[in-house]
Amino acid sequence: MAAQDDEVPLNAIRAFVTVAREGSVTRAATTLGTTQSSVSRYLAVLRDYLGADLIERRGRRSDLTEFGRLFANAVSEPLETVSFTAKRMRRRAGVGTNRIVVRTSLSTFAFSLLIPNLQAFSSEAGGVIVDIVSSLAPPTSSDDFDILITRDLSVIESADSWEIYKEELVCVGPPNLVGGKELSIVRSTPILNITSRPDILPTWLRAMNLSSSDIRAGARYDHNYLALPAVMTGKCLLVAPEIIVSDLVRGGALQIVPGTRAPSGMQYRAYAVDRSAHPELARSFCRWLARLCKKVAPAQAA
C-alpha cells in the first residue's frame, strides 16, 4: 500500500467514480473519452493506493465491493462539487466568443416558436450563433450549455431566471372542420393523444367540465410536433399549448374551437447559468425570449 503522504491519485478517483456510476469499464471509458485499458490502469492505481479491492468483475459488468461502495458514496458528491465549481469559474477567452448553447426540454416549443425566430436574435446580437440541444434529462453541472428553457426541470446551480410564459391550452382543428362550431364538437370528433404530455388532456377536460367518457379518443403521437401535421390535414382535433399553435392559427392552417382556452398551471422558464462563458449574452437571450413570448401571447388572446 502507498505511504500516507503519497499524492492522492485524483484522476484514478474520477475514473473509479465514473465506473461506479456507469456500471462497467467499457461505458466509463466512453464517458471519459479514453480507452478501457486506461480506465483499468486507473483502477489498479487506486487499488494499490487504498490497499483494498474496489471492483469485482462479473462478465461485462463491474460491481462494487462493499469497500468500493463505501468509497464511492464518500467521494462522488465532493468530486461533483469540485467539477461544478471549476466549470462555473472557467472563462474560455477567445474560444467561441460569438456562440451560445441553448438547451431545452420543450422540443415542440423550440420547433414552432424558438427556432423560427432565432435569426432575429442573431441579427440583434451581432450575428451570434445559437446552438439548440433538446433533452428531457435533468441538467447537471457537467453539461455544456449557457441557457436552459424548461417547464418542469430544475437548475441546481447558480443562475438568473425569467418566467417567460404561463401555459394556456386550446383545442384546435382545421378551419373546414371547426369553422362555425362550438365546444360540442369535441364530443363527436376524435381528439389526438400526446403521450409525452399525458397531463394536458385531463387538465383541459376538467377546465371544460368534461370527462374522458364525453370525448372520442383519437390516434396517439409521441410529441405535439408530430401531431400538428396530422391535425392540420385530418378530421381530428388537438388540445395543445396555445403558444405552439399560435403561428398556425394566425396563418389560417388551424382554428381554435371557441370557448376552449384554459390555463394548465404550467410555467415556462429560461435560466442563464452563471458558469456560462458568455453570461451577458446568455442573459440578453433570455430577455429577448421573454419579449418574444409576451409579443405572441396578446395575439393569442385576441
Side-chain angles (χ1 to χ4, degrees):
M1 184 173 63
Q4 290 185 3
D5 59 352
D6 284 353
E7 184 177 351
V8 177
L10 294 177
N11 286 334
I13 293 175
R14 177 171 175 256
F16 164 70
V17 168
T18 306
V19 171
R21 184 177 64 247
E22 298 294 335
S24 84
V25 171
T26 301
R27 288 196 294 271
T30 300
T31 299
L32 294 169
T34 187
T35 63
Q36 295 181 46
S37 58
S38 293
V39 173
S40 296
R41 283 195 296 271
Y42 278 132
L43 293 177
V45 168
L46 188 58
R47 180 192 60 216
D48 291 343
Y49 182 85
L50 295 172
D53 289 329
L54 300 117
I55 298 289
E56 290 178 334
R57 298 290 182 86
R58 295 182 178 178
R60 294 185 177 181
R61 285 195 55 80
S62 298
D63 293 337
L64 301 183
T65 63
E66 181 62 19
F67 181 85
R69 184 184 63 78
L70 292 173
F71 186 71
N73 289 341
V75 301
S76 293
E77 185 174 343
L79 192 64
E80 177 71 13
T81 300
V82 170
S83 176
F84 162 72
T85 303
K87 286 177 179 293
R88 180 182 173 186
M89 299 183 67
R90 184 183 182 194
R91 292 295 181 263
R92 300 183 291 272
V95 178
T97 55
N98 207 30
R99 191 179 204 123
I100 56 174
V101 177
V102 176
R103 171 171 167 165
T104 182
S105 61
L106 309 175
S107 55
T108 306
F109 174 81
F111 169 82
S112 59
L113 183 71
L114 175 60
I115 294 173
N117 288 283
L118 276 183
Q119 187 56 48
F121 173 75
S122 180
S123 299
E124 181 181 309
V128 63
I129 297 173
V130 182
D131 297 329
I132 304 292
V133 294
S134 176
S135 176
L136 297 177
T140 70
S141 61
S142 61
D143 295 332
D144 184 16
F145 64 90
D146 301 278
I147 296 144
L148 175 70
I149 304 170
T150 185
R151 179 187 60 245
D152 48 8
L153 299 180
S154 298
V155 174
I156 61 174
E157 57 189 288
S158 298
D160 290 333
S161 66
W162 284 259
E163 294 184 352
I164 59 173
Y165 177 65
K166 290 184 178 179
E167 190 175 69
E168 296 273 330
L169 304 177
V170 290
C171 183
V172 296
N176 62 352
L177 180 66
V178 305
K181 302 294 197 308
E182 299 296 334
L183 178 60
S184 58
I185 190 178
V186 305
R187 296 179 179 273
S188 58
T189 307
I191 300 180
L192 302 183
N193 194 332
I194 309 303
T195 57
S196 64
R197 287 291 307 272
D199 59 299
I200 282 184
L201 197 52
T203 298
W204 180 80
L205 286 172
R206 285 194 298 271
M208 297 295 109
N209 292 317
L210 296 170
S211 68
S212 57
S213 61
D214 293 323
I215 63 170
R216 291 180 57 191
R220 290 178 294 180
Y221 289 84
D222 282 347
H223 300 281
N224 274 307
Y225 66 81
L226 298 176
L228 288 174
V231 74
M232 284 189 289
T233 58
K235 296 184 180 299
C236 55
L237 303 173
L238 173 68
V239 177
E242 189 171 10
I243 200 166
I244 71 169
V245 298
S246 57
D247 279 350
L248 295 172
V249 170
R250 282 193 293 269
L254 289 175
Q255 186 170 326
I256 297 175
V257 178
T260 62
R261 184 179 287 106
S264 73
M266 290 289 187
Q267 176 74 62
Y268 295 13
R269 290 181 170 87
Y271 297 89
V273 295
D274 283 3
R275 62 178 164 83
S276 168
H278 316 293
E280 288 306 317
L281 186 57
R283 295 184 187 105
S284 176
F285 179 90
C286 291
R287 288 191 290 268
W288 167 82
L289 183 59
R291 292 196 304 270
L292 175 64
C293 292
K294 187 176 181 179
K295 178 182 177 182
V296 170
Q300 293 172 254

